[in-house]
Amino acid sequence: MTTPEAPHQDVPDSYALHPAVGDPLLSSMNFLNEVAGRHPDALSLAAGTPHEGFYDVEDIHRALRVYCDHLRTATGRTEEQVRRTLLQYGRTKGIIHELIARQLATDEGIHVDPEAILVTTGCQEALFLTLRALRRDDRDVLLAVNPAYIGVTGAARLLDLPVHPVAEGRDGVDLRDLADRVAKARADGLDPRALYVVPDYANPSGLRMPEAARRALLDLAVREDILILEDNPYGLFPLGGDADRVPTLKALDTHRRVVHLGSFSKTVFPGARIGYAVADQPAHEGPYLADALARAKSMVTVNTSPIAQAVVGGRLLEHGCSLVQATRREADVYRESLGRLLDGLAARFPASSGVRWNTPAGGFFVVVEVPFDVTDESLERSARDHRVLWTPLHHFYGSAVPLRCLRLSCSAVDPGDVDEALDRFAAFVAAARQANA
Amino acid sequence: MTTPEAPHQDVPDSYALHPAVGDPLLSSMNFLNEVAGRHPDALSLAAGTPHEGFYDVEDIHRALRVYCDHLRTATGRTEEQVRRTLLQYGRTKGIIHELIARQLATDEGIHVDPEAILVTTGCQEALFLTLRALRRDDRDVLLAVNPAYIGVTGAARLLDLPVHPVAEGRDGVDLRDLADRVAKARADGLDPRALYVVPDYANPSGLRMPEAARRALLDLAVREDILILEDNPYGLFPLGGDADRVPTLKALDTHRRVVHLGSFSKTVFPGARIGYAVADQPAHEGPYLADALARAKSMVTVNTSPIAQAVVGGRLLEHGCSLVQATRREADVYRESLGRLLDGLAARFPASSGVRWNTPAGGFFVVVEVPFDVTDESLERSARDHRVLWTPLHHFYGSAVPLRCLRLSCSAVDPGDVDEALDRFAAFVAAARQANA
């Protein structure tokens, strides 16, 4: 019988673990959450979590009922089949693939065989499975636009897959640097498998790739025989409103070079943990790459909870399979918050302040340059003395070396709190500058 | 824009994948499901899926409400906090860990710090994360009682972790063979990290380890400095009723040598996809091994759907955190079916028939020896000509070499259909024996 006491200090040899689980990078998220947890009264310009102002537990119940009705009426299932669909094991590739295909056609102009869609336990699993399938041996490497979402670097480390950074440039991917990195890797006997990129409002930089750059990137992918992993959590939140959207890489992909990674965490809710991969590439283990990924998935999570899928499926059905329709209120909130954030920065930091920032075309994130090193201790001080949270940028470089940059996020803060949060942030900057002088 | 047509036959080099996703083993499950799908009128002695006779979609709604009420009353959360708990991102280690700890204390006499429990997307993820954390480099190997659950061999292959087979013997693990395998691996410069075992009604063999063998195995684990991965999906279904249960390895584990892998798929329902690991080992990345596994999890699925966790949590709360209470009806059904299966085999196959089988003390599975080779084609013929499904045993050896053995399962068939299924099975055996003569 085990006893609920603290573990011993002595760790037997048999408990030694893969280096990735002790990697500071994998602790980054923990650290950032911990700081937030210790300062519950701080306003958060740190979290990339979605706005929860419209959340309601009854939405879960309603969405489940809508999805079950759909099974009965649109697909003619009996009560027994409905029960079995929700409560038993199910199809490895998922059960809402046809609804997702309709959503992609409606909102994105992506027309894809539903059989090429793999529904996953959050977008992170789609990314993890894709990296797992692509990494065959020590020669394989991943390219990723740098700075990058912590989840891609972390997943790659967990799979012993080196990540070669590619410069972001002004257009989201510096294509010359990309070509150079591919050539360099090959000259070193390595095999660059794919480029990971967030073309719409990258995390952390907020950059959006112009359409011409997207087309040039697709040409390069064909020419260099690499895949593109397009991660698209924020695409429905342009600052300029719906008319201001740029086609996704997948919508422009005539050569099946793009694996499109989708998330419902920002458009439905994170608690469902539902994402997907559109992987219509041919595969020996196929017919589609999605089938090969499904085979890997069967050994990681077996299948994605059909209850959670039903919640997302019901929400899609309630809005005619359009997430643009489903997220009108949220999109308005993000637009308002991002606008206030950008205006508020301009009002507080004149050119002479040495504080600079970029102007994203949408999404959640703004990168701010400050005239001092930004460390984890800076964040601690900001939280404790000024009650405002943000994210030091070095975390997105998979490095512990402090930079003079940080990320602000507008998604979790109420629009009405943005100005107060920025007042606190300005106080932090003033104090840090003084300490530095 | 992609078009919904079949993929090309030409697969570019850039689409080559990790060998595990093309591994026949990972296709085993697919193949078995496919045969079942092509013969919907066949009775299934193949599926290990739980009995669904008592399933009801309304159970989901009720369990969700029970869990939300618990959050409000027992933990004093506000409506906003309840909403956030279910719908936002959440704690990587899960939100129903305290309820699981209560269930383990109530049903299993396992007393463990809830902080040492990691809630996962099905038990498969708990297994996958544990193997991921333990495998550091090419020297590491896993030991597994052979024949083994396909999910452990598949997960290990996906992680490039070799599996060294250990003989099952009469007691579930042949301890002499285990010690020999450990010594042999070390002599070869390898590092045997852990033994995977299902002590209660193994899949496929149905064997149960006697208590003395469990204690001897735990001593050996300490002596040899290896971990034990105890997978326990069937432990609540003894043939002799509740008084007939044997303590789990974890309940006997005084030296924190056992990582206990739990599943709610057989006790609540598979559609929730909720499992867990009890990992109270000390870890440098800890305090507990569970914390290190959580760090890996954050890069695989981020966190387990709190909606799905709430469904399981509600079900636990409805039954005073006792799954023995919650599964009384199901346990009766399994007991009846397994009894009918064993009696029915005895009635149909006299000693002279050359057909032999073991007598499990519980669970879902019986291994049957027949006087002819059992191939995937045998299964096809059985399904087509005799309308009964079962599982060729070679799939559990990770091998394509046919054996003279197969697995029967009693979990998915209605008790009232067991005799009809066995009549069909006897007809298949007679035909196969004749074809072989």
mmCIF file with all atom_site columns, all heavy atoms in Angstrom, chain B residues 108-120:
data_model
loop_
_atom_site.group_PDB
_atom_site.id
_atom_site.type_symbol
_atom_site.label_atom_id
_atom_site.label_alt_id
_atom_site.label_comp_id
_atom_site.label_asym_id
_atom_site.label_entity_id
_atom_site.label_seq_id
_atom_site.pdbx_PDB_ins_code
_atom_site.Cartn_x
_atom_site.Cartn_y
_atom_site.Cartn_z
_atom_site.occupancy
_atom_site.B_iso_or_equiv
_atom_site.pdbx_formal_charge
_atom_site.auth_seq_id
_atom_site.auth_comp_id
_atom_site.auth_asym_id
_atom_site.auth_atom_id
_atom_site.pdbx_PDB_model_num
ATOM 1  N N   . GLU B 1 108 ? -10.010 -0.321 -4.262  1.00 0.00 ? 108 GLU B N   1
ATOM 2  C CA  . GLU B 1 108 ? -8.763  -1.078 -4.455  1.00 0.00 ? 108 GLU B CA  1
ATOM 3  C C   . GLU B 1 108 ? -7.851  -1.056 -3.229  1.00 0.00 ? 108 GLU B C   1
ATOM 4  O O   . GLU B 1 108 ? -6.799  -1.715 -3.247  1.00 0.00 ? 108 GLU B O   1
ATOM 5  C CB  . GLU B 1 108 ? -7.977  -0.514 -5.657  1.00 0.00 ? 108 GLU B CB  1
ATOM 6  C CG  . GLU B 1 108 ? -8.752  -0.427 -6.962  1.00 0.00 ? 108 GLU B CG  1
ATOM 7  C CD  . GLU B 1 108 ? -8.887  -1.778 -7.664  1.00 0.00 ? 108 GLU B CD  1
ATOM 8  O OE1 . GLU B 1 108 ? -8.425  -2.793 -7.115  1.00 0.00 ? 108 GLU B OE1 1
ATOM 9  O OE2 . GLU B 1 108 ? -9.485  -1.812 -8.754  1.00 0.00 ? 108 GLU B OE2 1
ATOM 10 N N   . GLY B 1 109 ? -8.193  -0.285 -2.202  1.00 0.00 ? 109 GLY B N   1
ATOM 11 C CA  . GLY B 1 109 ? -7.262  -0.153 -1.084  1.00 0.00 ? 109 GLY B CA  1
ATOM 12 C C   . GLY B 1 109 ? -5.936  0.480  -1.484  1.00 0.00 ? 109 GLY B C   1
ATOM 13 O O   . GLY B 1 109 ? -4.913  0.270  -0.848  1.00 0.00 ? 109 GLY B O   1
ATOM 14 N N   . ILE B 1 110 ? -5.965  1.255  -2.568  1.00 0.00 ? 110 ILE B N   1
ATOM 15 C CA  . ILE B 1 110 ? -4.772  2.006  -2.977  1.00 0.00 ? 110 ILE B CA  1
ATOM 16 C C   . ILE B 1 110 ? -4.914  3.413  -2.395  1.00 0.00 ? 110 ILE B C   1
ATOM 17 O O   . ILE B 1 110 ? -5.879  4.110  -2.712  1.00 0.00 ? 110 ILE B O   1
ATOM 18 C CB  . ILE B 1 110 ? -4.647  2.073  -4.514  1.00 0.00 ? 110 ILE B CB  1
ATOM 19 C CG1 . ILE B 1 110 ? -4.450  0.679  -5.112  1.00 0.00 ? 110 ILE B CG1 1
ATOM 20 C CG2 . ILE B 1 110 ? -3.505  3.013  -4.921  1.00 0.00 ? 110 ILE B CG2 1
ATOM 21 C CD1 . ILE B 1 110 ? -4.495  0.638  -6.648  1.00 0.00 ? 110 ILE B CD1 1
ATOM 22 N N   . HIS B 1 111 ? -3.961  3.808  -1.554  1.00 0.00 ? 111 HIS B N   1
ATOM 23 C CA  . HIS B 1 111 ? -4.022  5.133  -0.937  1.00 0.00 ? 111 HIS B CA  1
ATOM 24 C C   . HIS B 1 111 ? -2.883  5.960  -1.494  1.00 0.00 ? 111 HIS B C   1
ATOM 25 O O   . HIS B 1 111 ? -1.716  5.687  -1.217  1.00 0.00 ? 111 HIS B O   1
ATOM 26 C CB  . HIS B 1 111 ? -3.943  5.029  0.581   1.00 0.00 ? 111 HIS B CB  1
ATOM 27 C CG  . HIS B 1 111 ? -5.081  4.245  1.144   1.00 0.00 ? 111 HIS B CG  1
ATOM 28 N ND1 . HIS B 1 111 ? -6.298  4.812  1.480   1.00 0.00 ? 111 HIS B ND1 1
ATOM 29 C CD2 . HIS B 1 111 ? -5.225  2.917  1.364   1.00 0.00 ? 111 HIS B CD2 1
ATOM 30 C CE1 . HIS B 1 111 ? -7.125  3.881  1.907   1.00 0.00 ? 111 HIS B CE1 1
ATOM 31 N NE2 . HIS B 1 111 ? -6.493  2.708  1.844   1.00 0.00 ? 111 HIS B NE2 1
ATOM 32 N N   . VAL B 1 112 ? -3.217  6.939  -2.300  1.00 0.00 ? 112 VAL B N   1
ATOM 33 C CA  . VAL B 1 112 ? -2.191  7.663  -3.027  1.00 0.00 ? 112 VAL B CA  1
ATOM 34 C C   . VAL B 1 112 ? -2.515  9.148  -3.021  1.00 0.00 ? 112 VAL B C   1
ATOM 35 O O   . VAL B 1 112 ? -3.696  9.545  -3.020  1.00 0.00 ? 112 VAL B O   1
ATOM 36 C CB  . VAL B 1 112 ? -2.079  7.088  -4.467  1.00 0.00 ? 112 VAL B CB  1
ATOM 37 C CG1 . VAL B 1 112 ? -3.274  7.503  -5.305  1.00 0.00 ? 112 VAL B CG1 1
ATOM 38 C CG2 . VAL B 1 112 ? -0.774  7.489  -5.129  1.00 0.00 ? 112 VAL B CG2 1
ATOM 39 N N   . ASP B 1 113 ? -1.480  9.964  -2.944  1.00 0.00 ? 113 ASP B N   1
ATOM 40 C CA  . ASP B 1 113 ? -1.632  11.410 -3.050  1.00 0.00 ? 113 ASP B CA  1
ATOM 41 C C   . ASP B 1 113 ? -2.286  11.742 -4.396  1.00 0.00 ? 113 ASP B C   1
ATOM 42 O O   . ASP B 1 113 ? -1.764  11.351 -5.444  1.00 0.00 ? 113 ASP B O   1
ATOM 43 C CB  . ASP B 1 113 ? -0.223  12.033 -2.969  1.00 0.00 ? 113 ASP B CB  1
ATOM 44 C CG  . ASP B 1 113 ? -0.241  13.552 -2.993  1.00 0.00 ? 113 ASP B CG  1
ATOM 45 O OD1 . ASP B 1 113 ? -1.319  14.150 -3.211  1.00 0.00 ? 113 ASP B OD1 1
ATOM 46 O OD2 . ASP B 1 113 ? 0.839   14.144 -2.796  1.00 0.00 ? 113 ASP B OD2 1
ATOM 47 N N   . PRO B 1 114 ? -3.423  12.437 -4.410  1.00 0.00 ? 114 PRO B N   1
ATOM 48 C CA  . PRO B 1 114 ? -4.060  12.795 -5.693  1.00 0.00 ? 114 PRO B CA  1
ATOM 49 C C   . PRO B 1 114 ? -3.099  13.510 -6.648  1.00 0.00 ? 114 PRO B C   1
ATOM 50 O O   . PRO B 1 114 ? -3.270  13.410 -7.870  1.00 0.00 ? 114 PRO B O   1
ATOM 51 C CB  . PRO B 1 114 ? -5.209  13.721 -5.267  1.00 0.00 ? 114 PRO B CB  1
ATOM 52 C CG  . PRO B 1 114 ? -5.517  13.343 -3.850  1.00 0.00 ? 114 PRO B CG  1
ATOM 53 C CD  . PRO B 1 114 ? -4.213  12.904 -3.247  1.00 0.00 ? 114 PRO B CD  1
ATOM 54 N N   . GLU B 1 115 ? -2.094  14.185 -6.097  1.00 0.00 ? 115 GLU B N   1
ATOM 55 C CA  . GLU B 1 115 ? -1.122  14.877 -6.961  1.00 0.00 ? 115 GLU B CA  1
ATOM 56 C C   . GLU B 1 115 ? -0.261  13.897 -7.757  1.00 0.00 ? 115 GLU B C   1
ATOM 57 O O   . GLU B 1 115 ? 0.446   14.295 -8.684  1.00 0.00 ? 115 GLU B O   1
ATOM 58 C CB  . GLU B 1 115 ? -0.221  15.782 -6.121  1.00 0.00 ? 115 GLU B CB  1
ATOM 59 C CG  . GLU B 1 115 ? -0.907  17.037 -5.618  1.00 0.00 ? 115 GLU B CG  1
ATOM 60 C CD  . GLU B 1 115 ? -1.343  17.973 -6.740  1.00 0.00 ? 115 GLU B CD  1
ATOM 61 O OE1 . GLU B 1 115 ? -0.626  18.071 -7.749  1.00 0.00 ? 115 GLU B OE1 1
ATOM 62 O OE2 . GLU B 1 115 ? -2.422  18.584 -6.615  1.00 0.00 ? 115 GLU B OE2 1
ATOM 63 N N   . ALA B 1 116 ? -0.284  12.620 -7.389  1.00 0.00 ? 116 ALA B N   1
ATOM 64 C CA  . ALA B 1 116 ? 0.496   11.607 -8.116  1.00 0.00 ? 116 ALA B CA  1
ATOM 65 C C   . ALA B 1 116 ? -0.334  10.930 -9.207  1.00 0.00 ? 116 ALA B C   1
ATOM 66 O O   . ALA B 1 116 ? 0.092   9.942  -9.792  1.00 0.00 ? 116 ALA B O   1
ATOM 67 C CB  . ALA B 1 116 ? 1.041   10.567 -7.142  1.00 0.00 ? 116 ALA B CB  1
ATOM 68 N N   . ILE B 1 117 ? -1.544  11.470 -9.445  1.00 0.00 ? 117 ILE B N   1
ATOM 69 C CA  . ILE B 1 117 ? -2.426  10.911 -10.483 1.00 0.00 ? 117 ILE B CA  1
ATOM 70 C C   . ILE B 1 117 ? -2.454  11.846 -11.680 1.00 0.00 ? 117 ILE B C   1
ATOM 71 O O   . ILE B 1 117 ? -2.635  13.052 -11.533 1.00 0.00 ? 117 ILE B O   1
ATOM 72 C CB  . ILE B 1 117 ? -3.858  10.713 -9.932  1.00 0.00 ? 117 ILE B CB  1
ATOM 73 C CG1 . ILE B 1 117 ? -3.843  9.658  -8.815  1.00 0.00 ? 117 ILE B CG1 1
ATOM 74 C CG2 . ILE B 1 117 ? -4.822  10.310 -11.046 1.00 0.00 ? 117 ILE B CG2 1
ATOM 75 C CD1 . ILE B 1 117 ? -5.171  9.509  -8.091  1.00 0.00 ? 117 ILE B CD1 1
ATOM 76 N N   . LEU B 1 118 ? -2.236  11.283 -12.857 1.00 0.00 ? 118 LEU B N   1
ATOM 77 C CA  . LEU B 1 118 ? -2.346  12.043 -14.105 1.00 0.00 ? 118 LEU B CA  1
ATOM 78 C C   . LEU B 1 118 ? -3.551  11.525 -14.872 1.00 0.00 ? 118 LEU B C   1
ATOM 79 O O   . LEU B 1 118 ? -3.604  10.344 -15.221 1.00 0.00 ? 118 LEU B O   1
ATOM 80 C CB  . LEU B 1 118 ? -1.076  11.835 -14.951 1.00 0.00 ? 118 LEU B CB  1
ATOM 81 C CG  . LEU B 1 118 ? -1.110  12.419 -16.368 1.00 0.00 ? 118 LEU B CG  1
ATOM 82 C CD1 . LEU B 1 118 ? -1.040  13.939 -16.331 1.00 0.00 ? 118 LEU B CD1 1
ATOM 83 C CD2 . LEU B 1 118 ? 0.030   11.848 -17.219 1.00 0.00 ? 118 LEU B CD2 1
ATOM 84 N N   . VAL B 1 119 ? -4.531  12.400 -15.122 1.00 0.00 ? 119 VAL B N   1
ATOM 85 C CA  . VAL B 1 119 ? -5.702  12.003 -15.913 1.00 0.00 ? 119 VAL B CA  1
ATOM 86 C C   . VAL B 1 119 ? -5.358  12.133 -17.399 1.00 0.00 ? 119 VAL B C   1
ATOM 87 O O   . VAL B 1 119 ? -4.760  13.132 -17.807 1.00 0.00 ? 119 VAL B O   1
ATOM 88 C CB  . VAL B 1 119 ? -6.936  12.869 -15.576 1.00 0.00 ? 119 VAL B CB  1
ATOM 89 C CG1 . VAL B 1 119 ? -8.177  12.307 -16.258 1.00 0.00 ? 119 VAL B CG1 1
ATOM 90 C CG2 . VAL B 1 119 ? -7.144  12.944 -14.070 1.00 0.00 ? 119 VAL B CG2 1
ATOM 91 N N   . THR B 1 120 ? -5.709  11.128 -18.182 1.00 0.00 ? 120 THR B N   1
ATOM 92 C CA  . THR B 1 120 ? -5.283  11.077 -19.584 1.00 0.00 ? 120 THR B CA  1
ATOM 93 C C   . THR B 1 120 ? -6.444  10.820 -20.539 1.00 0.00 ? 120 THR B C   1
ATOM 94 O O   . THR B 1 120 ? -7.543  10.438 -20.120 1.00 0.00 ? 120 THR B O   1
ATOM 95 C CB  . THR B 1 120 ? -4.235  9.969  -19.773 1.00 0.00 ? 120 THR B CB  1
ATOM 96 O OG1 . THR B 1 120 ? -4.769  8.746  -19.246 1.00 0.00 ? 120 THR B OG1 1
ATOM 97 C CG2 . THR B 1 120 ? -2.937  10.304 -19.059 1.00 0.00 ? 120 THR B CG2 1
#
